[in-house]
């Protein structure tokens, strides 16, 4: 089983992915975390991607898909957070998934109004959370990533979750859209 979390920056995908991965015993793969770790470690990859991260631009598809491909192990379940972010990445993911005997089973779209996203991102204090970069990342989301909503809706695997509210309430909503019984 591969579950994809889709949503704009600040929509809470990362927080919810951590909770759900533990709950379902899935491997949580966040391409943003992997890229930031590479930059912090000063690896060749990290140096290559630093300028994209700082500018809030998407890292080239081949780099990101390579990073994901390296981590996929046959028959393991994955929760993908921040990947795919372009239609080309989504197409590549289908290929990678079938290569490990898996398929993308559900895609969860986190719905949060833009003013709330900006408020959250401004409060986060990450190096790519400056006002200018935030605006740019939201624009990149609309242009490059939002088309994935149609891509996955057409495949019949898209569901939505209201991403506004308390972390634990959103977690419950997530369990319910994914039809997972809450822990009793
Ligand atoms: P995130 O932590 O998911 O908000 O990602 C932070 C930054 O990492 C993004 O602004 C991009 O520069 C880069 N990034 C993360 N995931 C991807 C991806 N799937 N494709 C391209 N760039 C990505």
């Amino acid at each position: 089983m591969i579950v994809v979390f889709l949503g704009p920056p600040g929509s809470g995908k990362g927080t919810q992915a951590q909770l759900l991965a533990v709950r379902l015993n899935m491997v949580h793969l966040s391409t943003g975390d992997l890229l930031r770790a590479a930059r912090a470690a000063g690896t060749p990859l990290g140096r290559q991607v630093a300028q994209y991260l700082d500018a809030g631009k998407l890292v080239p598809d081949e780099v990101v898909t390579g990073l994901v491909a390296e981590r996929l192990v046959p028959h393991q379940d994955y929760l993908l957070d921040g990947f795919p972010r372009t239609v080309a990445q989504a197409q590549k993911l289908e290929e990678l998934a079938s290569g490990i005997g898996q398929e993308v089973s559900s895609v969860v779209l986190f719905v949060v109004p833009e003013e709330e996203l900006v408020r959250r991102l401004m409060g986060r204090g990450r190096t790519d959370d400056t006002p200018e970069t935030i605006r740019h990342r939201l624009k990149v989301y609309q242009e490059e990533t939002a088309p994935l909503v149609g891509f996955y809706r057409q495949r019949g695997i898209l569901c939505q979750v209201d991403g506004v509210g308390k972390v634990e309430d959103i977690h419950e909503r997530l369990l319910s859209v994914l039809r997972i019984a809450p822990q009793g």
Side-chain angles (χ1 to χ4, degrees), residues 31-32 35-36 52-53 56-59 64 82-83 85 89 126 128 137:
T31 43
L35 293 165
R36 276 186 292 277
Y52 294 98
L53 298 182
K57 290 189 177 148
L58 291 188
V59 169
V64 185
F83 179 88
R85 259 178 158 98
Q89 290 178 18
R126 234 165 62 178
D128 59 347
R137 284 162 62 216

Side-chain angles (χ1 to χ4, degrees), residues 120-175:
R120 289 184 188 177
L121 292 167
M122 293 295 292
R124 216 159 58 164
R126 234 165 62 178
T127 55
D128 59 347
D129 285 340
T130 64
E132 194 190 337
T133 321
I134 288 170
R135 267 195 305 277
H136 187 67
R137 284 162 62 216
L138 291 171
K139 184 165 167 268
V140 168
Y141 175 79
Q142 284 309 329
E143 291 176 358
E144 311 263 0
T145 309
L148 291 180
V149 173
F151 180 92
Y152 285 122
R153 187 171 279 141
Q154 209 173 34
R155 280 163 173 69
I157 54 173
L158 187 87
C159 54
Q160 292 194 10
V161 73
D162 172 4
V164 180
K166 288 200 210 127
V167 169
E168 43 297 7
D169 293 342
I170 300 166
H171 179 67
E172 294 301 318
R173 284 177 215 151
L174 200 51
L175 295 178

Side-chain angles (χ1 to χ4, degrees), residues 46-152:
R47 287 198 293 276
Q48 188 191 347
V49 301
Q51 51 174 335
Y52 294 98
L53 298 182
D54 292 336
K57 290 189 177 148
L58 291 188
V59 169
D61 288 335
E62 320 78 69
V63 176
V64 185
T65 52
L67 204 58
V68 172
E70 273 170 17
R71 276 166 182 80
L72 297 182
V73 169
H75 308 296
Q76 170 66 53
D77 292 331
Y78 290 93
L79 180 43
L80 301 182
D81 156 20
F83 179 88
R85 259 178 158 98
T86 63
V87 171
Q89 290 178 18
Q91 284 162 343
K92 182 70 184 177
L93 174 60
E94 296 196 331
E95 205 183 298
L96 292 174
S98 78
I100 56 158
Q102 292 280 23
E103 62 176 5
V104 179
S105 24
S106 308
V107 177
V108 182
L109 173 66
F110 285 74
V111 181
V112 176
E114 181 155 330
E115 59 275 17
E116 171 75 7
L117 295 173
V118 174
R119 200 181 59 75
R120 289 184 188 177
L121 292 167
M122 293 295 292
R124 216 159 58 164
R126 234 165 62 178
T127 55
D128 59 347
D129 285 340
T130 64
E132 194 190 337
T133 321
I134 288 170
R135 267 195 305 277
H136 187 67
R137 284 162 62 216
L138 291 171
K139 184 165 167 268
V140 168
Y141 175 79
Q142 284 309 329
E143 291 176 358
E144 311 263 0
T145 309
L148 291 180
V149 173
F151 180 92
Y152 285 122

